Amino acid sequence: MLSKVFQFLSSLRLTVVLLGLGVAVVFFGTLGQTSDGLYVAQERYFRSWFAYWTPHGSAFPVVPLPGGYLLGTMLVINLIVAHFTRFKWTWSKSGIFLTHIGIILLLLGQLATDMLARESIMSFREGDTRNYSESSMDFELAVLRSAGSNTLDQVVAIPAVRLKPGAELRHELLPFAIRVKEAYENARIRLRAPVMDSNRPPAATQGVGARIVIDEQPPTRTMDARNVPAAVIEISGPSSLGTWAISGELKPQTVTVEGTEWRLEYRPVRDYKPFALTLLKTTHETYPGTDIPKNFQSRVRLRNTESHEDREVDIYMNSPLRYGGYTFFQYQMGKEQLADGGRGTSALQVVRNPSWVTPYLGCILVGVGLLVQFLMHLTKFIARRKPRAA
Amino acid sequence: MRFTVVTVVSALAWMAAGCGKDEVRVYQAPQDAAPVAAADARGVTPQDASVSPASGSASSRSATAEASASERPAVPWTVPAGWEEKPASGMRVASYGVKRPDGRSADISVVAMGGGAGGELENVNRWRDQIGLEPATEADLAGLRSIIPAGNRQVVVYELDGKKAVLDGKYAARTLAAILPAGEMTVFFKITGENALVAEQKPQFLAWLKSVDTGGGTGGSAEPAPEASSAAPAAPVSGTASAAPAGSTASSGSVAGGGTDGLPNWQVPSGWKAAGPKPMRLASFEIPDAAGNGDVSISKLNGDGGGLLANVNRWRGQVGLAPLETSALAANSTALTTAGGDSGTWVELKGADKTILGAIVARDGVSWFFKMTAPSSVAVQNREAFEKFVRSVRF
């Protein structure tokens, strides 16, 4: 029985079927991108175990597909099991072995990139200093309190996915519970108009929530817009401290619990760095007479108090800053529309990918493996020809 | 061998578990610097800054053009002679320019921002920096500012005289800027340009400031009237600093800020949805219907708003009806009395496919316009509700 399972797992037929399915997933994933947008399509078809494709306008899923994770995992298992069952180690096959190790490394490296790589955005105006970058997709409810000094905050950051209606959130560092009353994936905030909204109550009882209403919006799937979540939460310490509206559009609000001031801020997930960048100057050049960008360039000052580094760096297209395990790419640029001569703004894409080296290593192994295999065949072929020629 | 497979599979499963994305994180972080005005509208990424104003202003401009055609442009101030209107963009509520044939020019802007908008000193220093002046200190401010009355309140005015030739390398610049706190917003009126030209324009600028209608005259809520936005999609002086909405689609406009001061009381029929702010309007409602949504607008104009006949004929034009003669107006309208005892004129204008129901109520030198535009079938169904709504008005 077990041997049959291994026979199946190691079969070349399985490899071919998996590769064929891979082609199908790429095809339907590309189709799905038109309606879902890049990010959702990636999640649905490639970063999943199972997927299905639904034609536009159909209410039912039509084409069931294996997800990217399933295909990748099966391919790795297939290759590894095949090595233990079908392949026999000989020197003459060392090239094939190397090639296969390279492929396994590619597959695992891609999975590691998928799991470990983090992309975020650092955006600032000329003169601003940032020591954190922000997620472009995910939000968190940050509950902040002064950490005893004037410059540090103690932060308890609750991911937005935990804010589900009905959830009760507690944390040992918080002297109150947070009960989620309402949660919206995408919503806009507007001031409650006293007359116009006479048939709608305010979003919450406390803070700015008492003066606003939350308009739920359909979640956006496009690349150039993002969802701004909102929620209504109840803070309850020894007694209830009322309901509060939180949203990515609102500034921090202060809640006083037993004499301590806490701040609530619904914000993009932050990733703090042990160093800081100051945006000194932005250069935004276009080709004359067009809006086509020619050069986006940010001059930043990099300061690391631990290593006493303090230097200026230019970041521009194709010339990122690599520092501290992060890569900073020039991403977007704009100008504050405040007044003439407004300050330039710049956004850097910050990528941290601990496994960035695996694809290079994998490709080298595959290349070397193929070369070795080819040379061995060649030398054998030449050696066989020689006696006849003589 | 089995061990290897199990190890690999479990390693994959662990990695697939997502490495703690859902977990609450606890850390210490440096406190954020005090937010500066523009950063209040969170979510405005630099991309938004560079992309959306372009598209946004285009759409708001066309919206305004449309609105101007149907609602008559209205800004809560008198534009001085010689000032040329420019399209508003980005954070600007209004924009004007003055040009001289010799190439000298001045730029006039109105910008509304949340809260203290970064503080007086920061703004003054930004303006100083723009015309090549050294930063001032908090102590200098008192000596730099002058206070003038405008409308029913005091306005802080700064006159900054640049000496360096910062404009085209030829001209020195001068800036006159006024700061008007309005509820939870701050409105900046500013003229900047060639030094002598701005000095020459100073009387016009001050007259302009004085002409700013701060609405209602109650003193407490001295915003320019909500229909102020000549070009921006949102009313300039509503919204709060703490509810600063992202992007340029600042919501809330119409009746906020002034509270109920600016608007009468009324009963909103069930099923109506408050719609976002629109130029020239004090309030908007949407009547959802599968056959096409109905649109209800409330606006006001000073005086007779151009006259009853002109307005009725404008509406008639909007549904494709021929204009009426003065003599025919009485036969085509009825009188209506609101709950507050004000009398008005009620018209029903049925076009080929859409219908306008409207009421015009004149009161204290102001004309109020209540108007429903809807596909004819929807208008018939909602006629009673709309009439009830208009009748419920109490000033």
Side-chain angles (χ1 to χ4, degrees):
Chain A
M1 171 64 199
L2 203 60
S3 66
K4 270 201 174 153
V5 171
F6 282 123
Q7 202 182 340
F8 167 75
L9 283 178
S10 67
S11 71
L12 190 61
R13 225 175 266 171
L14 178 65
T15 318
V16 174
V17 168
L18 288 174
L19 290 177
L21 285 171
V23 172
V25 170
V26 170
F27 176 75
F28 286 109
T30 310
L31 289 185
Q33 200 188 316
T34 55
S35 56
D36 293 338
L38 177 66
Y39 185 77
V40 175
Q42 259 180 1
E43 291 282 320
R44 187 172 286 173
Y45 296 95
F46 304 105
R47 308 183 64 179
S48 61
W49 292 93
F50 295 98
Y52 54 84
W53 177 73
T54 312
H56 192 70
S58 160
F60 301 99
V62 171
V63 184
L65 296 161
Y69 287 162
L70 183 61
L71 284 179
T73 310
M74 288 305 290
L75 276 171
V76 171
I77 293 173
N78 177 239
L79 206 50
I80 291 174
V81 176
H83 268 271
F84 285 101
T85 53
R86 286 197 290 121
F87 292 97
K88 292 280 173 289
W89 166 257
T90 57
W91 274 110
S92 63
K93 283 190 179 157
S94 57
I96 291 179
F97 271 80
L98 266 184
T99 306
H100 283 173
I101 292 172
I103 290 173
I104 290 172
L105 205 60
L106 275 177
L107 286 164
L108 290 181
Q110 193 47 47
L111 187 66
T113 298
D114 185 69
M115 297 297 163
L116 305 174
R118 290 285 172 268
E119 279 181 23
S120 53
I121 304 290
M122 183 181 276
S123 60
F124 36 23
R125 301 181 302 161
E126 282 175 3
D128 287 351
T129 300
R130 289 270 178 281
N131 62 344
Y132 60 85
S133 56
E134 295 182 318
S135 165
S136 54
M137 307 289 297
D138 300 321
F139 276 71
E140 63 188 11
L141 169 61
V143 187
L144 303 107
R145 189 182 67 159
S146 169
S149 76
N150 285 331
T151 52
L152 276 183
D153 275 334
Q154 180 207 73
V155 186
V156 177
I158 303 162
V161 288
R162 299 280 291 266
L163 299 181
K164 298 240 165 67
E168 181 168 315
L169 306 162
R170 289 176 188 275
H171 193 274
E172 55 192 14
L173 291 175
L174 302 179
F176 49 81
I178 297 171
R179 290 197 194 96
V180 184
K181 299 281 182 194
E182 299 162 30
Y184 307 93
E185 185 184 353
N186 190 21
R188 300 228 77 142
I189 297 297
R190 64 179 176 81
L191 276 187
R192 182 173 175 268
V195 182
M196 263 177 5
D197 290 320
S198 56
N199 52 0
R200 262 182 96 175
T205 62
Q206 303 294 316
V208 70
R211 287 180 288 134
I212 60 168
V213 287
I214 298 174
D215 285 335
E216 188 171 10
Q217 305 286 317
T220 177
R221 301 282 178 241
T222 57
M223 292 294 289
D224 54 358
R226 70 166 173 189
N227 294 321
V228 181
V232 178
I233 54 173
E234 183 187 353
I235 307 273
S236 77
S239 60
S240 174
L241 295 161
T243 56
W244 299 74
I246 54 171
S247 153
E249 293 185 344
L250 293 173
K251 293 207 295 187
Q253 300 173 69
T254 306
V255 187
T256 306
V257 184
E258 295 178 312
T260 309
E261 283 199 347
W262 296 82
R263 274 166 292 141
L264 300 173
E265 189 176 6
Y266 210 17
R267 65 189 191 189
V269 172
R270 285 190 184 179
D271 179 22
Y272 281 89
K273 327 271 180 240
F275 54 89
L277 295 183
T278 307
L279 181 63
L280 300 176
K281 187 176 184 304
T282 56
T283 311
H284 183 169
E285 292 168 352
T286 51
Y287 286 98
T290 69
D291 291 333
I292 301 166
K294 184 179 174 192
N295 183 25
F296 284 177
Q297 187 163 340
S298 296
R299 172 155 278 252
V300 296
R301 181 172 174 191
L302 167 68
R303 263 176 294 189
N304 187 336
T305 47
E306 274 170 39
S307 62
H308 303 291
E309 265 177 285
D310 188 346
R311 59 187 166 105
E312 291 186 10
V313 194
D314 278 316
I315 299 172
Y316 50 97
M317 287 182 206
N318 301 327
S319 177
L321 161 68
R322 292 182 201 275
Y323 185 78
Y326 295 92
T327 311
F328 295 83
F329 296 94
Q330 182 63 55
Y331 182 50
Q332 290 164 345
M333 195 162 270
K335 203 156 193 116
E336 207 173 50
Q337 303 280 325
L338 275 183
D340 293 348
R343 284 192 275 172
T345 60
S346 181
L348 304 174
Q349 188 179 36
V350 187
V351 180
R352 185 190 175 88
N353 182 7
S355 61
W356 67 275
V357 79
T358 51
Y360 296 95
L361 217 60
C363 283
I364 291 171
L365 281 178
V366 170
V368 169
L370 288 174
L371 194 69
V372 165
Q373 202 62 31
F374 172 72
L375 286 178
M376 276 196 299
H377 276 288
L378 189 69
T379 46
K380 229 186 267 173
F381 175 72
I382 292 171
R384 252 190 312 205
R385 275 177 62 127
K386 264 184 186 163
R388 248 185 283 162
Chain B
M1 182 203 81
R2 198 182 306 164
F3 174 76
T4 318
V5 175
V6 170
T7 312
V8 169
V9 171
S10 54
L12 289 170
W14 174 79
M15 290 170 103
C19 309
K21 212 179 160 190
D22 301 352
E23 259 154 50
V24 175
R25 296 184 301 153
V26 176
Y27 54 86
Q28 292 202 342
Q31 286 178 354
D32 290 351
V36 187
D40 288 353
R42 177 108 60 52
V44 182
T45 63
Q47 184 192 32
D48 295 329
S50 66
V51 176
S52 67
S55 55
S57 60
S59 60
S60 63
R61 239 174 283 150
S62 63
T64 312
E66 222 178 270
S68 314
S70 62
E71 310 276 2
R72 192 190 89 163
V75 285
W77 52 67
T78 312
V79 182
W83 286 14
E84 199 179 312
E85 185 163 355
K86 295 197 289 192
S89 62
M91 301 191 70
R92 289 188 174 202
V93 170
S95 203
Y96 302 95
V98 179
K99 266 202 178 122
R100 289 286 175 266
D102 55 11
R104 297 179 301 145
S105 66
D107 176 56
I108 298 114
S109 64
V110 183
V111 169
M113 290 199 286
E120 200 161 322
L121 183 65
E122 186 180 14
N123 280 298
V124 171
N125 280 337
R126 190 162 46 78
W127 299 329
R128 292 179 69 88
D129 181 55
Q130 284 165 11
I131 60 171
L133 288 173
E134 295 297 311
T137 64
E138 193 73 51
D140 299 336
L141 284 186
L144 290 168
R145 73 160 82 88
S146 52
I147 294 181
I148 66 153
N152 55 354
R153 58 168 48 218
Q154 306 288 314
V155 180
V156 172
V157 177
Y158 283 92
E159 182 161 12
L160 309 171
D161 183 5
K163 303 282 187 239
K164 279 190 211 160
V166 291
L167 304 173
D168 305 333
K170 290 195 283 193
Y171 305 118
R174 181 187 287 265
T175 296
L176 278 168
I179 304 174
L180 178 74
E184 290 178 78
M185 300 289 281
T186 305
V187 187
F188 298 93
F189 299 84
K190 178 166 157 262
I191 177 168
T192 184
E194 193 275 323
N195 199 311
L197 179 61
V198 173
E200 176 199 316
Q201 291 290 323
K202 188 177 174 182
Q204 279 90 324
F205 181 79
L206 295 179
W208 178 49
L209 280 185
K210 288 188 175 138
S211 80
V212 173
D213 176 10
T214 50
T218 49
S221 62
E223 293 90 333
E227 71 268 37
S229 36
S230 68
V237 285
S238 57
T240 69
S242 46
S248 58
T249 50
S251 47
S252 71
S254 5
V255 290
T260 50
D261 294 354
L263 280 180
N265 283 310
W266 55 50
Q267 300 291 322
V268 180
S270 62
W272 286 20
K273 275 167 47 186
K278 303 215 172 107
M280 299 338 142
R281 292 185 177 189
L282 295 169
S284 297
F285 296 96
E286 190 181 283
I287 308 174
D289 195 292
N293 292 348
D295 171 54
V296 175
S297 72
I298 293 93
S299 53
K300 72 170 180 179
L301 292 172
N302 288 334
D304 63 0
L308 188 61
L309 182 70
N311 279 295
V312 170
N313 279 339
R314 187 164 51 82
W315 288 349
R316 289 180 68 88
Q318 288 167 11
V319 293
L321 295 176
L324 293 175
E325 297 292 324
T326 318
S327 54
L329 183 60
N332 284 281
S333 62
T334 53
L336 165 144
T337 308
T338 66
D342 291 285
S343 55
T345 306
W346 171 269
V347 289
E348 295 184 25
L349 311 170
K350 194 167 179 312
D353 47 4
K354 61 178 180 175
T355 293
I356 287 180
L357 302 180
I360 302 173
V361 177
R363 183 193 156 84
D364 295 343
V366 174
S367 298
W368 290 81
F369 299 87
F370 302 85
K371 180 180 165 199
M372 177 171 94
T373 311
S376 296
S377 61
V378 180
V380 169
Q381 286 163 28
N382 290 282
R383 188 196 167 284
E384 201 180 330
F386 179 67
E387 190 183 339
K388 222 170 144 186
F389 166 70
V390 176
R391 286 186 187 279
S392 76
V393 169
R394 264 176 211 276
F395 287 94

